[in-house]
């Protein structure tokens, strides 16, 4: 068994090393070019400078873009949590006709490519004059965000013993009091996990934001795409510096997410023994 498994292990490590080497080369080339004065036909740039970051910050109005990105992401997180947590509670605690079908419907916006439902969604938003505004971008990003919160929070709620709620009801607590005073403190880790993951997902969501954003409601990823589209007008170093800013922002969010979120918690469902 060990002799037959050894080539597989070597092939796996070799493929991983090849992938990491290519990834490091691509990222390294972009980062190096963002600091290069000129770089044509040589292994290394002719000189190094940080001026491209300043020019990209001014020309692409990155401060305004980052503010819009932050506003959209926070709004999507708040609204999706307010809608998703009670919905997840109902799915975790109640059995009703069509529950399985509802779970499948919640999965569709997450499993399907955003472009498949993004174009009809953008058409509806344009019809109601919401596309091109901040409200339209938020509404579009809520479509995958709310199901994501529901599917993330349902395992957390299922892990909470129903006897706690029964004891609170026996003491005279109302449903609202049980939800706010008993369940809410227990759900804080799950809400935090869902919020951070939705935040990362919203900042990186390109398709839905691109289809519904206007000049004053573009997020960082859409601005990066437009910068790449106009690469012939502006120096490539400016585009690469903007790409580094975007990648750095996403890395910060991912580090924060991994700091507070245990990925195994998202799929763990504890069942009472029969």
């Amino acid at each position: 068994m060990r002799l037959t498994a050894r080539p597989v292990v070597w092939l796996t490590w070799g493929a991983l090393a090849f992938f990491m080497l290519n990834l490091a080369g691509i990222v390294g080339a972009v980062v190096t070019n963002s600091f290069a004065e000129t770089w044509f036909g040589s292994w290394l740039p002719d000189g190094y400078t940080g001026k491209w970051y300043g020019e990209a910050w001014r020309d692409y109005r990155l401060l305004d873009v980052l503010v819009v990105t932050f506003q959209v992401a926070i709004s999507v997180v708040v609204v999706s949590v307010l809608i998703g947590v009670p919905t997840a509670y109902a799915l975790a605690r109640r059995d009703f006709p069509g529950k399985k079908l509802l779970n499948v419907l919640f999965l569709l916006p997450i499993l399907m490519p955003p472009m498949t439902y993004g174009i009809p969604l953008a058409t509806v938003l344009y019809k109601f004059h919401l596309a091109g505004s901040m409200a339209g971008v938020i509404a579009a990003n809520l479509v995958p965000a709310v199901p994501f919160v529901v599917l993330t929070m349902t395992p957390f709620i299922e892990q909470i013993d129903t006897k706690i709620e029964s004891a609170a009801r026996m003491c005279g607590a109302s449903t609202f009091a049980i939800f706010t005073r008993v369940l809410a403190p227990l759900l804080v880790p799950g809400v935090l996990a869902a919020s951070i993951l939705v935040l990362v997902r919203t900042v990186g969501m390109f398709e839905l934001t691109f289809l519904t954003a206007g000049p004053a409601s573009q997020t960082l990823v859409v601005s990066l795409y437009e910068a790449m589209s106009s690469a012939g007008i502006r120096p490539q170093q400016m585009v690469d510096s903007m790409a580094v800013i975007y990648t750095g922002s996403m890395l910060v969010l991912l580090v924060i997410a991994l700091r507070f979120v245990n990925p195994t918690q998202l799929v763990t469902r504890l069942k009472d023994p029969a």
Side-chain angles (χ1 to χ4, degrees), residues 81-131:
V81 167
L82 291 176
I83 298 174
V85 173
T87 305
Y89 178 82
L91 291 175
R93 290 289 191 259
R94 299 289 186 267
D95 289 324
F96 51 86
K99 179 179 177 179
K100 292 183 178 180
L101 176 61
L102 187 60
N103 285 324
V104 173
L105 292 178
F106 279 128
L107 280 172
L108 289 180
I110 299 176
L111 298 179
M112 293 175 59
M115 191 63 72
T116 58
Y117 60 88
I119 295 176
L121 176 62
T123 302
V124 174
L125 292 176
Y126 274 104
K127 182 178 180 180
F128 290 95
H129 306 287
L130 289 176

Side-chain angles (χ1 to χ4, degrees), residues 12-242:
T12 302
W13 281 106
L16 179 61
F18 179 77
F19 171 77
M20 296 302 296
L21 183 63
N22 281 273
L23 181 62
I26 295 172
V27 175
V30 173
V31 174
T32 303
N33 192 45
S34 68
F35 288 100
E37 291 184 357
T38 56
W39 193 6
F40 297 105
S42 59
W43 285 98
L44 294 175
D46 299 329
Y48 297 92
T49 179
K51 67 177 182 179
W52 303 116
Y53 286 87
E55 293 186 10
W57 187 270
R58 292 189 300 269
D59 289 2
Y60 294 119
R61 299 179 294 108
L62 290 185
L63 179 60
D64 296 335
V65 172
L66 288 174
V67 170
V68 170
T69 303
F70 179 77
Q71 291 175 342
V72 170
I74 294 299
S75 299
V76 171
V77 168
V78 172
V79 177
S80 60
V81 167
L82 291 176
I83 298 174
V85 173
T87 305
Y89 178 82
L91 291 175
R93 290 289 191 259
R94 299 289 186 267
D95 289 324
F96 51 86
K99 179 179 177 179
K100 292 183 178 180
L101 176 61
L102 187 60
N103 285 324
V104 173
L105 292 178
F106 279 128
L107 280 172
L108 289 180
I110 299 176
L111 298 179
M112 293 175 59
M115 191 63 72
T116 58
Y117 60 88
I119 295 176
L121 176 62
T123 302
V124 174
L125 292 176
Y126 274 104
K127 182 178 180 180
F128 290 95
H129 306 287
L130 289 176
S133 64
M134 189 81 69
V137 175
I138 294 172
N141 280 275
L142 283 174
V143 174
V146 172
F148 194 82
V149 172
V150 172
L151 297 177
T152 303
M153 288 301 303
T154 302
F156 281 90
I157 297 175
E158 289 180 345
Q159 295 177 34
I160 299 176
D161 195 344
T162 56
K163 296 178 181 178
I164 299 176
E165 301 175 46
S166 300
R169 293 186 187 278
M170 291 180 62
C171 294
S174 62
T175 302
F176 181 78
I178 293 174
F179 196 83
T180 56
R181 297 186 180 183
V182 178
L183 291 178
L186 299 175
L187 294 177
V188 168
V191 172
L192 182 62
S195 299
I196 294 176
L197 293 175
V198 168
L199 180 70
V200 174
R201 183 183 178 89
T202 303
V203 172
M205 176 59 69
F206 168 74
E207 295 92 339
L208 298 180
T209 307
F210 175 74
L211 292 172
T212 56
S217 57
Q218 291 183 354
T219 60
L220 185 57
V221 64
V222 176
S223 296
L224 176 60
Y225 171 78
E226 293 197 349
M228 293 176 61
S229 301
S230 61
I233 302 174
R234 294 183 174 89
Q236 182 62 36
Q237 289 87 342
M238 289 180 60
V239 180
D240 288 342
S241 63
M242 190 173 179

Side-chain angles (χ1 to χ4, degrees), residues 57 66 69 199-200 203 220 242-256:
W57 187 270
L66 288 174
T69 303
L199 180 70
V200 174
V203 172
L220 185 57
M242 190 173 179
V244 172
I245 293 174
Y246 171 74
T247 304
S249 302
M250 292 301 298
L251 284 176
V252 171
L253 291 177
L254 287 174
V255 169
I256 294 174

